[in-house]
Amino acid sequence: MIIIVTREKTKDGLNLPKRADLSDTFCPVGRSAELLGDRAVLLILRDLFFGRRRFEEIVANTGLGPQIVSARFKLLIEQVVVERHAYRERPPRYEYRLTAKGRDLFDVLYAMRNWAERWAYEEGETGGGPAMRYTHRACGADVGTSTVCPGCGEPLRYGDLKGEPSPALKAEQAAKSG
Amino acid sequence: MIIIVTREKTKDGLNLPKRADLSDTFCPVGRSAELLGDRAVLLILRDLFFGRRRFEEIVANTGLGPQIVSARFKLLIEQVVVERHAYRERPPRYEYRLTAKGRDLFDVLYAMRNWAERWAYEEGETGGGPAMRYTHRACGADVGTSTVCPGCGEPLRYGDLKGEPSPALKAEQAAKSG
């Protein structure tokens, strides 16, 4: 059992625990928030969706410390969102993959991406286009920030999209994998 | 400027800062995670989507401490996700409302709800049905956990849905507003 304690520095220097006990709520948003209301979890999930599977790769790309990534993997495995697979026996090496329950979080992360593309960039910051352009593999349409393909009307699912990062995002990714 | 420091207790008692600096990332999921990767923010947004607008009401329903809710409102107002309106002058009383940028987070919270309905409950825990049943106002169809109405094929937007909490969720809400 991992205990995550989140504290907040207030003006008068008090440290206050922030977390509500959601373990017994029936509210579905509350249940999701229990897992997803954590920056590190969201960044690790993003990396897994982008096909990063190795511990060091995820540490480098997220910028999170190794102990944080390790603790979050433990939690994600307990929650059956991630599975660990050995890809080499001597010395033992593992990779991490999304389970069906984990892959089903695609809609959440895709909605987060869509919202950020619409609201989280300054004018001109990404050079005119989106930070990451997605096209629908099936019909080739630029999907913009839609959940349903504007070209062919199909709902968009994980695996349906081909991403093309903007030059700024590409440069950032290259610098991180350094 | 609110400084949020998140710490994690490890087995050996070390307290480690967990947060990656995302302020200059170009990744849209990273930008969203900066705001949304926080349980308190998600619970407050949920309450605002459900029409709760008053501070005390949100404190009571989320189970978060008043100082936490206050700090998060400050952040959400800075980010233009929430606006504060005076609804009484003497003594001054305020209510909080989602802005257009805030209402546009509907897809994220709805996707979180859908995922939890599919994966976050034990067999029988909600009495057979979903924790919260949604029907499409326009056509009356039970939308299940779809993003597109299974009855009429329309994409589902904020305001399109009528929610009916399960008896367990209703009892919990009544107890909180107690």
Side-chain angles (χ1 to χ4, degrees), chain B residues 86-98:
Chain B
Y87 67 86
R88 199 164 68 189
E89 291 200 2
R90 290 181 203 180
R93 288 287 177 272
Y94 301 97
E95 61 176 32
Y96 298 86
R97 297 181 198 164
L98 293 165

Side-chain angles (χ1 to χ4, degrees), chain A residues 2-172:
Chain A
I2 296 164
I3 300 162
I4 299 165
V5 181
T6 310
R7 297 196 171 274
E8 176 173 54
K9 268 254 173 342
T10 56
K11 273 180 203 158
D12 50 4
L14 279 175
N15 273 329
L16 298 163
K18 129 182 172 310
R19 187 175 187 179
D21 180 9
L22 304 174
S23 55
D24 61 353
T25 184
F26 281 100
C27 170
V29 179
R31 294 233 172 159
S32 281
E34 179 73 10
L35 181 69
L36 302 176
D38 178 273
R39 291 183 188 87
V41 163
L42 293 172
L43 296 182
I44 291 168
L45 288 171
R46 173 199 65 186
D47 277 21
L48 292 167
F49 273 109
F50 277 108
R52 296 186 190 99
R53 293 181 165 187
R54 300 199 180 171
F55 187 84
E56 293 73 19
E57 204 182 7
I58 290 172
V59 166
N61 191 67
T62 58
L64 297 164
Q67 285 171 281
I68 302 306
V69 175
S70 175
R72 294 309 183 284
F73 269 134
K74 197 177 161 200
L75 174 68
L76 290 164
I77 290 166
E78 273 172 13
Q79 297 289 319
V80 200
V81 165
V82 167
E83 282 171 340
R84 196 175 80 150
H85 294 265
Y87 68 85
R88 198 164 69 191
E89 290 200 6
R90 293 183 203 179
R93 288 285 177 272
Y94 301 97
E95 62 176 31
Y96 298 86
R97 297 180 198 165
L98 293 165
T99 61
K101 182 177 175 183
R103 290 191 299 274
D104 197 41
L105 283 165
F106 173 72
D107 282 358
V108 178
L109 274 85
Y110 183 58
M112 287 173 59
R113 174 261 172 186
N114 289 338
W115 181 79
E117 291 282 8
R118 290 193 289 261
W119 298 98
Y121 295 89
E122 304 285 328
E123 182 85 33
E125 191 182 350
T126 56
M132 176 78 116
R133 184 180 306 281
Y134 282 108
T135 51
H136 191 198
R137 288 184 197 278
C139 76
D142 182 333
V143 301
T145 59
S146 302
T147 51
V148 171
C149 179
C152 66
E154 286 297 307
L156 300 170
R157 301 277 164 218
Y158 182 46
D160 290 353
L161 301 172
K162 190 165 173 288
E164 173 65 21
S166 59
L169 184 53
K170 213 180 274 182
E172 180 183 300

